Amino acid sequence: MNAAGLDNYLIAVALVLVTVTATVAALTRDPVRQAVVLALLGLCLTVLFTFLQAPDVALSQLAVGTVVTPLLILLTVRKVRRSSKGRPR
């Protein structure tokens, strides 16, 4: 297998991973689990962008999509669950 064929194979595998993780993220109901799957999706997108030779986009995706966004979701869920426990029903 030549280098171009290997590149195309790696890109195809990365696209399948992105498709699967995006589908799982959309079908997950629990916000905490969804944040974890979203972090995994960000990591898969980072790998895809790296294979597509876009290192600047990959680094941005790694920082924002893999770390910051899931962290903000987890903190928000924690805050909402704390404030809802204090309210009488």
Side-chain angles (χ1 to χ4, degrees):
M1 185 181 287
N2 59 11
L6 181 62
D7 288 345
N8 289 337
Y9 175 75
L10 291 174
I11 290 170
V13 168
L15 279 171
V16 169
L17 285 174
V18 167
T19 304
V20 168
T21 53
T23 303
V24 171
L27 296 176
T28 303
R29 292 298 212 193
D30 181 36
V32 174
R33 289 184 182 167
Q34 198 171 36
V36 172
V37 175
L38 188 62
L40 185 61
L41 173 61
L43 190 60
C44 291
L45 282 168
T46 300
V47 170
L48 176 64
F49 292 141
T50 302
F51 290 153
L52 291 173
Q53 298 178 359
D56 51 343
V57 179
L59 284 172
S60 298
Q61 179 62 37
L62 184 64
V64 175
T66 305
V67 178
V68 175
T69 303
L71 181 63
L72 288 175
I73 292 171
L74 288 173
L75 291 173
T76 303
V77 168
R78 181 178 173 197
K79 177 88 171 171
V80 167
R81 287 184 179 170
R82 273 190 181 173
S83 64
S84 67
K85 283 184 181 178
R87 291 185 187 169
R89 292 185 183 194

